[in-house]
Amino acid sequence: MPTDTNSGLLPGRRSVRALGLAVLVVLSVLATSGLAGATQAQAGADTDDALESADELYLNDDGSGVLVYADDDNDVKEYQIGADVTEGLAHVLIADDVEDGELENAEGNVSAVLEDDMFSANGALTMEQPPEVEDLDVQISGEQSAETSEFDADVYALLGGGESGDIQQLSSTQQASLFESAETSGSIETTADTFRTSGNVSVDFGASSMATGDSPEETFAFDLTETETENGYEVAVSERGTEQAFLTDPAEQWGTEADAKATLEEQYSSLADDLGGDVTVEIDHHSFEEQSADTYWKELDYTITYEGIDDLEDNLADELADDSTADLDREEAEEIAGQVTNVEIETVQFDLTSSAEAMDATWTVEIGEYAPLLTSAVELSEASMEDELEGDDADQFGEQLEDFETRLEAQQAADLRSTFEWDASATYTDDNRVELEATATGDTENYDAYTDELADRGIDMSDERVVFEFNAATEDEQISVDGNVEIGTEDLAETALTSVADSIRQEQDAGQFGAFASALEESELEIAKVDLDFDNETVELEAGAKFNGTESLLEDGILGENVVLTQISGGSDEGATYVYVEDPDGEELDQDALAEQGLVDDDTDVYEPGEGDREFAEMDTEAATTYLGVDAEGGDGMPGFGPAAGLIGGAIAVALLAARRRV
């Protein structure tokens, strides 16, 4: 049979999965991520056949028992795990020495806490500065609350290769094939009814391999505006560039002004047909000259006019009404078509100039009255998905669409304005270093009015808050990184547990983990916490969770319907893990039932009441409550068993017993 390999941080093989899953449960509710997949990886076996037998079983006079799993290969410096059912507690502590070279010249810490309506995390890392990173300064921060929504980022980096100054990741040939410098800047501004963006990108190829010597500048520019007739658009276009003979003869297409006009009308007529209108082309400037064999220089200034597209709304309504997937009647189709065609294109401008030495591009786009377009998209989605979704999926989709419409209405009522601006550059220095600089900002106007409008429509954001900060810098030949995040929202812990439970249901066998997922979802998490500290000598991980579940006992527990778990405890001092079990009805434990669940077998030493060494370690609940900062209180539910802690203990036991099969 395959065996596990210790990492130097974990205890021996017989309890490694108990330890791993105890940590995993805590981290899962903090990270709301793939508990199920990780659990299966920890178990190392199919969940249909994951139970494993104990080394010893001690039976008590009151009908309860203790399963003992010996930890024969424990080489970790210190570890302690436990779950107390009556207190609703789980706690893990691991400490060990770092093997040579694993965390050389690095130290750091990470802490995270999840409570009912708040998640917070912070961490710091210091490590040796790599030679490729000569200078680094990163500052990123943001906040979104009931009053504001803003974001700032400032990044500077100088990348080289230590003393030589060469970029180690790129050969000299690769460096030469790129560029000398590049930069971009711009902005995006949105309101509930308008969208505006403008910006530029420029690249200086300098002496790179792309710069092949003197070459004419090629340009392309267009300007789209709405015509005065209000039923068409004009596009002013300017082109300067080379044309080469390949599959067609450029001289036949562009040789004369008449040829160029015919070619352009053919190119743009299909769009006019789709819009139900007509297209005309007026050429203001034309020049076409042969430069060399099969190579020509073309200059064109022309205006394309689309007219007679006032029937676009009717044509679109016809298509929507005839579309079986949209499921719209004629009146609904006409309403959506009207919303789409009411969009106002104020400006669409684009200019591109390029040569072998450089490239420059600028753009300006402004679109008005596009909110109805968003509304029509929502209505189309709702109509097209009506017959595709059923039950909870249909309800959830409907709620999402309703939420979107509500937020759009609130944006309009509050005149919410959002702006994002950026400025970034990358430059190769004379000594082959790469210098990167970038700034970005995001800001809003009338955000407090927007959240007030949301509140008036039933969406309360008064308690919602997201704040984050991240910093990284080089100093004294080290890189220091630190960051923190705080997320506040109603029922955050409940949402996190539901997310984990859903993941378990999707990825794990329902028979083994379905009850675990359901109990986890109903467990009323009070707090979950994790701390990790490390340096080049030691690593310490501590994690814990406190639950206040008051629901009834799991009807189909992970250990089987005839066995419930009251406590699990183990550690490096004991050299074993102890699993305390009871009969759910308070009767004597049925050994046949235990055997059916794989908890005992012919190799298990069974001790009747009064027999054997009766020294069993119990969970250190005081250490757990002190770490979590909570009071120890007896759990609700059946005597000696609460579903919240029971699900944790049950999961730990499954992992523990699965590990036995691998030994």
Side-chain angles (χ1 to χ4, degrees):
M1 306 247 344
T3 59
D4 295 321
T5 303
N6 285 331
S7 66
L9 175 62
L10 298 176
R13 292 174 293 187
R14 295 183 183 272
S15 59
V16 63
R17 288 180 179 77
L19 177 62
L21 191 54
V23 176
L24 184 59
V25 170
V26 177
L27 296 182
S28 297
V29 294
L30 285 169
T32 69
S33 60
L35 171 65
T39 303
Q40 190 169 29
Q42 288 284 346
D46 294 336
T47 55
D48 289 336
D49 190 26
L51 300 181
E52 186 56 71
S53 58
D55 293 302
E56 299 172 334
L57 168 62
Y58 291 83
L59 299 174
N60 299 321
D61 291 327
D62 60 3
S64 65
V66 179
L67 298 166
V68 180
Y69 296 85
D71 196 2
D72 300 328
D73 301 315
N74 181 12
D75 59 359
V76 74
K77 180 178 179 181
E78 178 185 357
Y79 79 93
Q80 197 71 38
I81 61 173
D84 188 291
V85 177
T86 58
E87 303 292 352
L89 283 170
H91 186 226
V92 178
L93 175 65
I94 311 170
D96 202 7
D97 296 327
V98 175
E99 294 185 3
D100 293 341
E102 285 190 348
L103 295 173
E104 185 175 0
N105 300 319
E107 62 178 278
N109 60 83
V110 178
S111 298
V113 179
L114 174 65
E115 298 178 84
D116 177 46
D117 57 1
M118 180 64 67
F119 170 79
S120 61
N122 62 82
L125 169 67
T126 301
M127 59 183 292
E128 184 178 4
Q129 180 177 341
E132 296 84 2
V133 181
E134 298 193 18
D135 196 5
L136 180 67
D137 188 1
V138 178
Q139 301 175 47
I140 301 173
S141 63
E143 178 180 353
Q144 181 173 314
S145 64
E147 292 78 30
T148 187
S149 178
E150 57 188 19
F151 166 82
D152 286 284
D154 196 337
V155 177
Y156 175 82
L158 181 63
L159 307 180
E163 297 179 359
S164 67
D166 295 330
I167 304 300
Q168 292 185 345
Q169 295 89 339
L170 301 175
S171 67
S172 59
T173 301
Q174 289 173 318
Q175 293 174 40
S177 67
L178 297 175
F179 53 83
E180 189 169 286
S181 66
E183 60 183 40
T184 178
S185 63
S187 65
I188 299 174
E189 181 181 345
T190 61
T191 71
D193 294 307
T194 60
F195 172 87
R196 299 183 183 90
T197 179
S198 62
N200 64 83
V201 176
S202 62
V203 180
D204 183 357
F205 298 115
S208 72
S209 62
M210 296 187 67
T212 56
D214 293 336
S215 64
E217 284 190 346
E218 297 189 6
T219 63
F220 176 79
F222 71 82
D223 187 347
L224 170 65
T225 58
E226 191 171 1
T227 65
E228 295 181 358
T229 60
E230 296 186 356
N231 69 339
Y233 291 91
E234 285 186 354
V235 184
V237 183
S238 177
E239 296 183 45
R240 303 288 188 274
T242 57
E243 293 284 338
Q244 292 185 331
F246 183 53
L247 297 178
T248 59
D249 183 359
E252 293 181 1
Q253 293 180 303
W254 311 104
T256 67
E257 184 173 321
D259 292 334
K261 183 174 182 178
T263 300
L264 292 170
E265 287 180 341
E266 182 180 359
Q267 287 180 352
Y268 293 104
S269 62
S270 59
L271 178 59
D273 293 339
D274 293 339
L275 297 175
D278 300 309
V279 63
T280 59
V281 176
E282 294 294 334
I283 295 182
D284 303 311
H285 171 74
H286 171 270
S287 177
F288 190 79
E289 299 178 355
E290 184 175 11
Q291 290 184 317
S292 60
D294 297 329
T295 301
Y296 304 84
W297 179 256
K298 180 185 71 175
E299 295 183 4
L300 278 177
D301 294 332
Y302 56 94
T303 301
I304 305 167
T305 303
Y306 289 102
E307 291 184 313
I309 60 175
D310 49 347
D311 294 332
L312 175 60
E313 182 175 336
D314 292 335
N315 295 335
L316 180 57
D318 290 339
E319 291 188 17
L320 291 174
D322 294 339
D323 189 347
S324 59
T325 62
D327 194 22
L328 297 170
D329 58 33
R330 181 68 193 184
E331 183 177 351
E332 292 171 329
E334 290 178 349
E335 180 182 359
I336 291 176
Q339 292 171 336
V340 172
T341 55
N342 281 338
V343 174
E344 297 180 1
I345 300 177
E346 305 290 347
T347 301
V348 179
Q349 296 177 329
F350 179 78
D351 290 273
L352 172 65
T353 301
S354 63
S355 68
E357 293 78 29
M359 184 276 290
D360 293 281
T362 62
W363 70 88
T364 301
V365 177
E366 182 173 348
I367 300 174
E369 299 299 327
Y370 81 101
L373 177 62
L374 300 179
T375 302
S376 66
V378 171
E379 293 173 352
L380 270 175
S381 298
E382 188 173 15
S384 61
M385 297 297 291
E386 186 174 358
D387 296 332
E388 300 293 329
L389 301 176
E390 298 179 354
D392 293 341
D393 291 337
D395 293 341
Q396 184 178 9
F397 184 73
E399 290 173 1
Q400 291 173 345
L401 293 181
E402 183 179 351
D403 181 80
F404 176 82
E405 290 181 305
T406 300
R407 292 178 183 273
L408 186 60
E409 291 173 1
Q411 289 179 29
Q412 293 174 309
D415 190 24
L416 176 65
R417 297 174 180 270
S418 301
T419 303
F420 178 74
E421 298 177 331
W422 73 91
D423 191 343
S425 66
T427 305
Y428 272 98
T429 65
D430 293 338
D431 52 1
N432 279 337
R433 289 172 169 83
V434 176
E435 188 173 38
L436 305 174
E437 295 183 86
T439 60
T441 61
D443 204 356
T444 55
E445 295 180 26
N446 305 323
Y447 195 82
D448 53 347
Y450 166 64
T451 56
D452 288 342
E453 292 290 343
L454 284 177
D456 292 341
R457 290 165 173 78
I459 300 178
D460 185 8
M461 295 185 62
S462 59
D463 295 329
E464 295 196 6
R465 175 180 171 84
V466 177
V467 180
F468 61 90
E469 183 178 359
F470 174 82
N471 302 287
T474 51
E475 184 177 2
D476 297 332
E477 299 183 349
Q478 290 185 319
I479 292 182
S480 298
V481 180
D482 66 80
N484 61 78
V485 61
E486 182 179 302
I487 302 173
T489 186
E490 186 178 4
D491 299 327
L492 180 60
E494 180 180 341
T495 302
L497 292 178
T498 299
S499 176
V500 175
D502 289 342
S503 176
I504 295 171
R505 293 189 186 98
Q506 293 171 7
E507 299 185 29
Q508 291 284 13
D509 176 74
Q512 290 287 341
F513 285 93
F516 171 62
S518 298
L520 180 64
E521 196 169 6
E522 300 172 2
S523 59
E524 298 181 21
L525 175 70
E526 178 179 340
I527 184 173
K529 182 179 178 183
V530 62
D531 289 279
L532 173 65
D533 290 273
F534 61 90
D535 56 29
N536 60 351
E537 295 182 353
T538 60
V539 176
E540 181 172 307
L541 171 69
E542 187 169 12
K546 175 73 166 66
F547 296 85
N548 292 323
T550 58
E551 299 299 325
S552 63
L553 176 67
L554 298 177
E555 294 180 358
D556 187 15
I558 294 178
L559 298 185
E561 60 183 9
N562 296 319
V563 183
V564 296
L565 185 146
T566 60
Q567 188 180 129
I568 182 170
S569 177
S572 51
D573 292 340
E574 293 80 20
T577 301
Y578 304 97
V579 179
Y580 295 74
V581 292
E582 293 180 358
D583 181 90
D585 300 320
E587 304 292 336
E588 290 188 7
L589 283 172
D590 187 341
Q591 293 187 43
D592 291 336
L594 295 177
E596 288 179 4
Q597 302 302 329
L599 300 176
V600 298
D601 61 13
D602 293 340
D603 295 325
T604 302
D605 295 327
V606 179
Y607 297 89
E608 298 295 332
E611 295 180 354
D613 186 356
R614 294 279 163 170
E615 293 294 329
F616 304 130
E618 295 188 355
M619 179 187 178
D620 188 347
T621 56
E622 182 178 355
T625 55
T626 300
Y627 170 68
L628 294 170
V630 299
D631 295 327
E633 299 175 357
D636 297 326
M638 295 184 65
F641 188 85
L647 64 91
I648 294 177
I652 293 173
V654 168
L656 169 70
L657 300 174
R660 291 276 299 162
R661 187 176 298 276
R662 298 282 304 262
V663 177

